[in-house]
Amino acid sequence: MFRTKLYLLFVGVVAMLNVQDMFSQTTLCNLSGKVVDNADNQPVEYANVILYNATDTTPAGYTVTDASGAFALECKTAGKYYVSVSYIGYKSFKTKPVAVTAAQKSITLPEIRMEEENAELSEVVVVGRKRQIVYKLDRQVIEAAGYLSAAGGTAVDILTQTPSIRVDAEGEVSFRGSSGFKVYIDGKPGTLDGTAALEQIPAGQIENIEILTTPSARNDADGAVGIININTKKSNIEGWSGMVNTMGSSVLSRNLDFLLALKKPDFRWQLSGEASRRFVLSDFDQTKTVTTPEMTTIDHSTGDRTRHTAVYYLRSQFDWLRDNTTWTAALTGGYRDRWRGGELHYEDSYTTAEGERSTGSFNGKDFVHLYEYNLRGDAGVEHNFTGRKGHKLTSSVYALYEGDAMENFQTDLWDMQGAQVQGHRAWEFEYRFEAQVNADYVYPLENETGKFETGYQLFTYTEDGDYTIDMFNPEQSRFERRDDLYNKYAFHRYIHALYAMFSDTYSGFSYQLGLRGEYNFRQLENNLEWAAFNRHILDFFPSVHLSYALNDKSQLRASYTRRITQPELFYVEPYVVYVDYNTAQQGNPYIQPEYTNSVELGYNLSLGNNTFSTTLFHRARKDKIERVRVPYHTSVTKDSMANVGNDYSTGLEIATSLQLSRLWYLDANTSVYHYRIKNIFKVDDDEKSINYQLAINNNIDLAKNTRMRFEAYYVGPMVSTQGRVNGYYYCNLAVRQQLLNRRLTAGLSVQDIFSTAEYIQSRKGTGLESLSKIYPRTPLLTLTLSYTFNNFSRKQKTEKDDMFEGTNR
């Protein structure tokens, strides 16, 4: 079977090479050029470039500019042609006609310099805005500059304002109903996964965010709903430049981050850092009924919940530009601290199987504290071969070490006289090592519009730790070590991957075909023999991306991809930990990977400064991984990971940006999708829901260098394997003022100004019912200041913390 799959991968690569030969003989002449901003000479990426026949003005080709502002088009027949370039916030540009003959192999147009569409009215200055969401062949790109209410925050605060993204009460991000996504930073895997990775990236240092809902074969196959890539700011200005961002909020959150850069013709050096501590405060109210053969317990707990994260890091990066080769090296070191907990009051009632009733009142404290030091090194090289443009070889490597890592769990319960009746102390000491090596090769076709890509990836991860727990003994009035619950483990994971891709553009039609093969080895060594395992998996992951330019203003997109979500280590850890007095958690060593097939069809329309886009999607996921809650003992429930069945999401996303006047710009998005879980834990009907979200954001220029943004959000209800989360709505207000020739920017934001946000979740299972209500302490006020020098950046972000705390209870 293993040899058969390798043979199929080889056949797929050969087939792509044959397709390459088939499409590489139809071009008469190649037309290329570069698009830059007239003000600062910076390349304009994602600009629409349309090739027209000058005789009858019919479209003859379409493309978009790449990260360097470059584009390439192919002319199939002799004649006169001209190029039209458009991008929101800029005046359209049309070149003079050029003659194409059979004797010419290629023509390079003069540099195209785009001018911003600035509109002045008395003392009001309106600066041309970048399009907030740009759709490419295999991704959507979110420009961070427009999200004023995310300043001082993190990548999470930007993403919550995009279609189909929602944040639960613990601040966990999900996309189209799944949290199975991977986070990259500047195209490289982040130090953490999922929400934790997004929370450590300050919004002030983000240039844009790429969402790959159907990633190509070039990307890791892990992550059910795709990849989120954060592109950070980089300076291309000669000499010194930099920026400093500060933030403070009404719940005492604070942040300081900076970026300092030095650019010379042959090198670039950047130093960045952050010191932040962010708080989320909520009020908690839960009623939980647990039924065992011996007793039924009804527990009502109320109190406050607090969550805070602290991040301290320093990063230095050096890029050396030598002829056609760029060498890169970076070193990052830091400390990360996450804490959540609170104080609760419990009112309990007990009914035995014989009908005897009793009650109890208690006060409790609990917390979960995770922290570690980390050191990461990156190195890479990119070599561009002479001759054919785009012919290059890229290699990169990174290594990450996380030491002195600790996961500390603590609960205490006292009666109303102050005597302790329950409690536990648990410690998980661990170290982690992670490394990855990539080699990628790009070979452009003779027509200059197509290319063949291939590459190899090696990934390795090791975590070694041990878990100890002390339980309170009421009879002895002391904590005692539970050696029977001690756990020693070592987890190893290795991935070898090969991929091949072929892409080209033909008369407005663009396509990209890919195939990825991955061999995955996972091993858990454990002192509990029943929990140890060795698993070998060989899989293939195809991808298809298509687009067609209907004209210079509209485009159709279609894509398909297959993905996998591998269980994280905490999914399989076999020991029990207590989150609070009534809630325990345990991993599941028998859990299997998820497999996801995704299909999308999209349409984009651009009319001057107004845009419209819609995406129809369907996702089918096999062996969905979800946390399931079951009775454990007395009033205690246990949460564990399980493959709960298959789920299906089918829906529509719509986004629009409208320039209503010179001073008023509106952007809105909505998503509606049908969600169904074919649940193996229920014998009756499947869980179903219609999920929907709506965001309407008004951007108004009030005065010279003064901009206001008012945001209104509605998040609809959603079902899970064991219950339902109610819908809620909230509004935000943000104001930004630029001073000192726009070098100093001050921002004030108010989150949930009407205090309407709430998180209400109900759960129901065998022997269990619960209703949890979480109310964030709002309105939340945030003040930000940002200073730039040498025109490093004129973009400002604003802040919005996650609103809820305490849902996994």
Side-chain angles (χ1 to χ4, degrees):
M1 185 65 178
F2 182 86
R3 292 181 178 178
T4 301
K5 289 188 175 183
L6 288 179
Y7 172 74
L8 291 174
L9 178 60
F10 173 76
V11 169
V13 173
V14 172
M16 290 182 187
L17 290 172
N18 290 335
V19 172
Q20 165 187 332
D21 293 337
M22 181 174 66
F23 283 94
S24 62
Q25 301 172 356
T26 59
T27 303
L28 177 69
C29 176
N30 295 301
L31 202 65
S32 61
K34 184 176 182 179
V35 181
V36 300
D37 187 302
N38 188 57
D40 57 13
N41 294 319
Q42 295 302 303
V44 179
E45 190 179 5
Y46 314 127
N48 297 303
V49 183
I50 309 294
L51 178 68
Y52 287 96
N53 189 313
T55 304
D56 55 11
T57 67
T58 57
Y62 167 82
T63 189
V64 294
T65 54
D66 62 18
S68 65
F71 65 88
L73 295 160
E74 53 185 22
C75 302
K76 304 297 182 181
T77 60
K80 287 190 174 182
Y81 296 87
Y82 69 89
V83 168
S84 175
V85 183
S86 61
Y87 189 68
I88 191 168
Y90 290 92
K91 298 177 181 178
S92 297
F93 188 96
K94 186 183 296 183
T95 66
K96 295 180 179 180
V98 295
V100 174
T101 66
Q104 298 168 298
K105 293 296 183 183
S106 63
I107 298 175
T108 301
L109 297 174
E111 187 174 71
I112 297 173
R113 307 184 68 83
M114 303 286 284
E115 295 184 358
E116 287 187 345
E117 279 195 297
N118 293 345
E120 295 188 12
L121 182 63
S122 64
E123 286 298 300
V124 179
V125 179
V126 181
V127 180
R129 299 178 177 89
K130 271 192 174 183
R131 189 182 309 173
Q132 286 197 318
I133 301 180
V134 177
Y135 291 86
K136 296 186 71 177
L137 184 62
D138 62 348
R139 69 196 65 192
Q140 52 181 293
V141 183
I142 301 168
E143 292 295 338
Y147 296 95
L148 298 186
S149 64
T154 66
V156 172
D157 304 307
I158 298 173
L159 287 169
T160 54
Q161 304 178 46
T162 59
S164 294
I165 294 281
R166 69 186 293 159
V167 180
D168 70 11
E170 287 293 334
E172 292 295 320
V173 175
S174 63
F175 183 59
R176 295 177 180 171
S178 173
S179 59
F181 58 86
K182 291 297 180 182
V183 176
Y184 280 38
I185 302 173
D186 294 325
K188 301 180 180 65
T191 303
L192 296 172
D193 289 325
T195 305
L198 297 173
E199 287 180 334
Q200 71 172 357
I201 308 170
Q205 295 193 14
I206 298 175
E207 183 69 28
N208 58 50
I209 300 177
E210 298 176 326
I211 299 179
L212 291 77
T213 53
T214 54
S216 67
R218 182 192 308 110
N219 304 109
D220 291 348
D222 203 3
V225 292
I227 294 172
I228 295 176
N229 180 47
I230 311 294
N231 290 311
T232 60
K233 293 180 179 178
K234 298 176 181 61
S235 176
N236 291 307
I237 301 172
E238 293 293 324
W240 290 95
S241 60
M243 56 182 270
V244 178
N245 303 306
T246 63
M247 176 274 289
S249 80
S250 57
V251 295
L252 301 183
S253 295
R254 57 265 193 193
N255 173 79
L256 172 67
D257 64 83
F258 73 93
L259 197 156
L260 182 66
L262 174 62
K263 176 73 167 58
K264 295 294 183 181
D266 59 346
F267 77 88
R268 175 175 58 200
W269 172 77
Q270 289 195 169
L271 179 68
S272 60
E274 178 188 8
S276 67
R277 186 171 289 272
R278 306 174 191 275
F279 292 87
V280 178
L281 307 180
S282 298
D283 294 313
F284 180 80
D285 186 322
Q286 182 184 76
T287 301
K288 182 190 297 186
T289 302
V290 179
T291 302
T292 65
E294 297 80 18
M295 182 179 296
T296 296
T297 303
I298 300 176
D299 168 72
H300 183 209
S301 54
T302 57
D304 62 84
R305 308 304 298 168
T306 301
R307 174 166 56 91
H308 75 73
T309 58
V311 176
Y312 305 92
Y313 84 87
L314 198 64
R315 174 182 172 86
S316 179
Q317 178 172 329
F318 183 83
D319 301 323
W320 184 35
L321 294 75
R322 182 75 174 178
D323 298 327
N324 295 324
T325 305
T326 300
W327 300 84
T328 300
L331 186 65
T332 306
Y335 171 78
R336 183 172 51 249
D337 186 311
R338 288 150 288 165
W339 188 97
R340 71 173 186 267
E343 300 182 9
L344 297 177
H345 176 72
Y346 299 89
E347 289 290 339
D348 293 353
S349 64
Y350 314 96
T351 304
T352 66
E354 293 77 22
E356 298 180 0
R357 296 184 179 183
S358 60
T359 60
S361 299
F362 308 94
N363 290 320
K365 288 185 178 180
D366 61 84
F367 69 78
V368 178
H369 189 195
L370 301 86
Y371 58 87
E372 69 271 338
Y373 294 89
N374 56 78
L375 181 66
R376 171 168 172 158
D378 291 78
V381 59
E382 178 180 303
H383 177 72
N384 292 277
F385 297 95
T386 56
R388 194 168 293 183
K389 185 178 180 181
H391 187 196
K392 64 181 180 179
L393 178 65
T394 305
S395 180
S396 63
V397 59
Y398 80 84
L400 168 68
Y401 174 77
E402 293 181 328
D404 292 331
M406 166 67 78
E407 297 183 12
N408 180 209
F409 305 83
Q410 180 172 319
T411 65
D412 291 291
L413 192 72
W414 300 273
D415 62 23
M416 301 309 293
Q417 288 72 45
Q420 185 154 10
V421 293
Q422 294 288 348
H424 95 293
R425 308 281 188 270
W427 302 267
E428 184 177 343
F429 298 91
E430 52 195 33
Y431 80 84
R432 313 178 190 107
F433 177 77
E434 178 180 311
Q436 182 169 301
V437 178
N438 286 77
D440 303 279
Y441 175 71
V442 180
Y443 181 79
L445 308 185
E446 292 183 0
N447 61 13
E448 294 189 6
T449 59
K451 59 184 177 181
F452 173 75
E453 303 175 59
T454 187
Y456 166 77
Q457 181 185 92
L458 167 65
F459 173 82
T460 178
Y461 177 83
T462 296
E463 181 172 325
D464 194 310
D466 63 78
Y467 172 77
T468 57
I469 182 171
D470 293 349
M471 301 290 289
F472 185 77
N473 185 338
E475 296 178 357
Q476 301 294 327
S477 297
R478 67 184 183 189
F479 286 89
E480 297 177 350
R481 180 62 47 90
R482 291 287 301 271
D483 292 330
D484 58 316
L485 297 178
Y486 170 79
N487 193 260
K488 173 71 175 175
Y489 68 89
F491 179 75
H492 310 281
R493 182 181 179 188
Y494 305 94
I495 298 177
H496 295 272
L498 286 169
Y499 75 88
M501 292 175 54
F502 173 69
S503 59
D504 202 355
T505 299
Y506 182 82
S507 297
F509 174 68
S510 299
Y511 58 92
Q512 182 190 86
L513 309 175
L515 180 64
R516 184 182 185 90
E518 286 193 353
Y519 166 72
N520 194 312
F521 171 72
R522 298 164 59 85
Q523 180 186 55
L524 179 64
E525 301 176 52
N526 201 280
N527 62 306
L528 301 175
E529 293 186 5
W530 64 269
F533 62 77
N534 289 279
R535 293 177 186 151
H536 304 261
I537 301 175
L538 178 63
D539 272 313
F540 292 125
F541 303 96
S543 66
V544 178
H545 294 82
L546 309 171
S547 71
Y548 180 71
L550 301 174
N551 49 51
D552 62 342
K553 298 180 176 62
S554 59
Q555 180 190 49
L556 288 173
R557 297 173 285 108
S559 60
Y560 162 79
T561 189
R562 182 174 187 259
R563 307 282 296 167
I564 186 173
T565 299
Q566 294 283 1
E568 302 293 339
L569 174 58
F570 71 88
Y571 289 5
V572 301
E573 293 171 333
Y575 48 85
V576 176
V577 299
Y578 283 80
V579 178
D580 63 32
Y581 166 62
N582 281 330
T583 309
Q585 293 182 352
Q586 183 180 27
N588 177 6
Y590 301 107
I591 201 165
Q592 298 297 313
E594 295 177 344
Y595 288 93
T596 304
N597 289 278
S598 299
V599 179
E600 292 188 7
L601 178 65
Y603 171 74
N604 304 331
L605 175 65
S606 178
L607 297 172
N609 284 346
N610 302 309
T611 64
F612 172 83
S613 64
T614 181
T615 301
L616 179 67
F617 64 88
H618 174 74
R619 187 190 70 211
R621 180 167 47 176
K622 179 178 179 291
D623 293 330
K624 169 182 167 63
I625 299 174
E626 189 171 302
R627 190 180 298 277
V628 176
R629 176 167 292 179
V630 296
Y632 191 37
H633 61 80
T634 318
S635 63
V636 180
T637 57
K638 184 174 69 173
D639 295 347
S640 185
M641 308 304 295
N643 297 109
V644 299
N646 304 334
D647 72 346
Y648 308 89
S649 300
T650 303
L652 183 70
E653 294 173 350
I654 300 174
T656 185
S657 299
L658 301 174
Q659 187 79 49
L660 301 178
S661 71
R662 290 182 178 180
L663 310 178
W664 183 14
Y665 177 77
L666 181 143
D667 60 90
N669 65 74
T670 185
S671 67
V672 181
Y673 64 95
H674 179 264
Y675 182 68
R676 178 169 66 93
I677 304 175
K678 193 174 181 60
N679 187 354
I680 65 174
F681 286 86
K682 291 186 66 176
V683 296
D684 50 3
D685 295 338
D686 300 339
E687 296 286 355
K688 301 176 183 178
S689 68
I690 300 295
N691 301 326
Y692 46 94
Q693 295 175 228
L694 176 65
I696 300 176
N697 306 312
N698 291 272
N699 304 271
I700 301 173
D701 292 286
L702 300 175
K704 184 177 182 179
N705 295 327
T706 304
R707 181 169 293 169
M708 180 186 75
R709 180 176 171 95
F710 179 78
E711 303 169 347
Y713 298 95
Y714 178 76
V715 181
M718 183 177 182
V719 300
S720 63
T721 303
Q722 292 184 299
R724 170 189 174 94
V725 178
N726 290 3
Y728 60 92
Y729 71 95
Y730 61 96
C731 298
N732 302 330
L733 179 67
V735 179
R736 184 190 70 185
Q737 177 67 52
Q738 294 177 316
L739 307 164
L740 302 178
N741 194 27
R742 296 170 60 201
R743 293 192 300 272
L744 178 64
T745 301
L748 175 65
S749 68
V750 185
Q751 181 188 350
D752 191 18
I753 55 180
F754 304 119
S755 299
T756 56
E758 59 184 16
Y759 187 92
I760 300 177
Q761 180 183 34
S762 58
R763 293 188 183 186
K764 188 174 183 179
T766 303
L768 166 71
E769 286 189 36
S770 68
L771 178 65
S772 303
K773 300 177 182 180
I774 302 167
Y775 304 96
R777 294 184 185 174
T778 56
L780 174 65
L781 278 68
T782 302
L783 176 65
T784 61
L785 291 173
S786 177
Y787 182 80
T788 66
F789 64 92
N790 197 16
N791 291 326
F792 178 86
S793 171
R794 296 198 173 181
K795 300 173 190 164
Q796 169 67 8
K797 320 290 184 280
T798 25
E799 199 234 30
K800 183 184 63 166
D801 276 321
D802 302 322
M803 292 185 296
F804 303 109
E805 164 60 28
T807 187
N808 288 332
R809 308 189 62 77

